[in-house]
Amino acid sequence: MRAMVLAGPRARLRMEERPDPFPGEGQIRVRVSACGVCRTDLHVVDAELPDIRYPIVPGHEIVGRIDLIGPNVTTHAPGDRVGIPWLGFTCGDCRFCREGMENLCDRPLFTGYTRDGGYATHTIADAHYAFPLGESEDDVALAPLLCAGLIGWRSLVLAGQADRLGIYGFGAAGHIIAQVAAWQGRSVHAFTRRGDTAAQDLARRLGAVWAGASDDMPDKPLDAAIIYAPAGELVPAALRAVRKGGRVVCAGIHMSDIPSFPYDLLWQERQLLSVANLTRQDGLDFFRIAAQAGVHTETTAFPLDQANQVLGMLRNGQILGAAVLKP
């Protein structure tokens, strides 16, 4: 197998030839056909997350076909097309797992962060955390749904029954969830970097009723806002934009420090929430909703060996929609 490997903090990924891996108990081996490039991959490469296991193969928006199954796997078979998400394993024993909050497991493993991911020709996954994808849709089009879509869906659920919804950061997650929200009948307001007319035009094409800069104010207060950009300064801006009793959901796994802001922005029962990881039920719910809503991903495919260049483009805001690597 071949893999793009991160050897240490902030290092360039390097292509390596490795022996083909073999699945253990309850595991599957997947031949990767597409792997989305997520902003969390940048946080791994830039060492912005704790306890990274080096060397590590990044990537957690994986689409591929099972080519080998380990002992005691009864849910999948060789040849099945599956999707492998960020949350790759949970212990099943801690308080959070027992109480239906596996996304907060005390002893989890994360794909492309604490276990090898999908910037490779093959990867090993826990069979319980491999979603069946069926045979409709293209592999490249499906890949961003495995994180941008799943975390986006969880953040949309946490936003509640918000008729007027703000989306801050219109990248991979934003362009997926805008479609779901518009299909649900919500009025979507898209906030981007000032001058990013390409993202604003995309937002309008995908159903947004308004698109503008992140420091602009909507014509009327929003019911809720979701922040996908990892920029802490957007928190006060979003709180300023929501009505009394409104919610602001921070959807990223990492965000720059939130600047101090007057209590008045939070007062009147505004709520500030964060999203952590996902559950398997999130996946089952989202893939059903995405099919019903006719979600279409805006993607650009690149060869696997261009992973470093693609990460640089993502860092500089040069990706419209989502980037996907193909081995």
Side-chain angles (χ1 to χ4, degrees), residues 92 147 166 169 246 304:
C147 183
L304 178 62

Side-chain angles (χ1 to χ4, degrees), residues 277-320:
N277 313 314
L278 68 143
T279 67
R280 283 171 285 186
Q281 191 60 49
D282 290 332
L284 297 175
D285 292 343
F286 172 66
F287 283 112
R288 174 176 52 82
I289 291 294
Q292 293 175 3
V295 169
H296 166 77
T297 55
E298 186 88 9
T299 58
T300 306
F302 299 87
L304 178 62
D305 61 8
Q306 291 184 15
N308 289 301
Q309 297 94 306
V310 176
L311 288 167
M313 293 169 66
L314 180 61
R315 182 182 288 109
N316 295 326
Q318 296 173 311
I319 300 292
L320 185 64

Side-chain angles (χ1 to χ4, degrees), residues 7-306:
R10 293 171 290 280
R12 283 180 61 82
L13 305 183
R14 64 170 186 255
M15 182 70 80
E16 290 186 3
E17 296 277 347
R18 293 181 165 188
D20 289 343
F22 286 89
E25 176 122 1
Q27 294 181 333
I28 56 176
R29 186 175 74 188
V30 174
R31 179 183 290 275
V32 179
S33 55
C35 185
V37 179
C38 178
R39 183 161 291 276
T40 302
D41 299 338
L42 274 181
H43 299 321
V44 172
V45 171
D46 293 343
E48 294 174 325
L49 302 182
D51 305 319
I52 299 172
R53 192 207 77 181
Y54 300 106
I56 189 71
V57 178
H60 57 273
E61 296 181 332
I62 305 169
V63 176
R65 291 192 182 272
I66 298 171
D67 69 356
L68 194 62
I69 62 172
N72 297 320
V73 173
T74 59
T75 52
H76 302 288
D80 288 353
R81 187 170 69 156
V82 294
I84 302 170
W86 167 249
L87 185 59
F89 170 84
T90 55
C91 72
D93 296 323
C94 70
R95 170 187 177 181
F96 298 101
C97 286
R98 293 196 311 269
E99 295 181 4
M101 296 180 285
E102 64 185 4
N103 60 306
L104 302 178
C105 174
D106 284 335
R107 295 180 292 278
L109 291 175
F110 297 106
T111 310
Y113 171 31
T114 57
R115 71 186 304 170
D116 283 338
Y119 286 17
T121 57
H122 294 78
T123 193
I124 298 293
D126 188 303
H128 290 106
Y129 286 89
F131 296 114
L133 296 179
E135 297 301 328
S136 63
E137 293 295 335
D138 175 72
D139 293 341
V140 169
L142 285 172
L145 302 184
L146 269 300
C147 183
L150 290 174
I151 299 301
W153 170 250
R154 188 171 182 86
S155 64
L156 183 62
V157 172
L158 283 183
Q161 299 300 315
D163 291 332
R164 292 174 54 81
L165 178 71
I167 293 178
Y168 285 77
F170 207 81
H175 95 284
I176 292 170
I177 294 308
Q179 296 175 66
V180 176
W183 173 77
Q184 291 175 331
R186 306 175 192 244
S187 295
V188 176
H189 296 66
F191 297 81
T192 74
R193 297 180 185 183
R194 182 163 294 281
D196 191 350
T197 56
Q200 292 168 14
D201 289 344
L202 176 62
R204 295 186 190 97
R205 291 202 308 272
L206 296 179
V209 300
W210 178 92
S214 58
D215 54 355
D216 288 340
M217 288 289 288
D219 57 344
K220 294 191 300 185
L222 305 170
D223 297 315
I226 305 172
I227 301 176
Y228 291 118
E233 64 269 20
L234 293 178
V235 171
L239 284 170
R240 192 173 288 112
V242 299
R243 61 167 171 77
K244 295 181 285 187
R247 293 181 183 178
V248 173
V249 181
C250 300
I253 192 172
H254 174 82
M255 178 179 274
S256 61
D257 288 348
I258 300 171
S260 62
F261 57 86
Y263 175 66
D264 187 60
L265 289 184
L266 187 62
W267 188 55
Q268 293 181 316
E269 300 193 352
R270 293 176 179 87
Q271 301 174 55
L272 182 60
L273 308 171
S274 71
V275 170
N277 313 314
L278 68 143
T279 67
R280 283 171 285 186
Q281 191 60 49
D282 290 332
L284 297 175
D285 292 343
F286 172 66
F287 283 112
R288 174 176 52 82
I289 291 294
Q292 293 175 3
V295 169
H296 166 77
T297 55
E298 186 88 9
T299 58
T300 306
F302 299 87
L304 178 62
D305 61 8
Q306 291 184 15

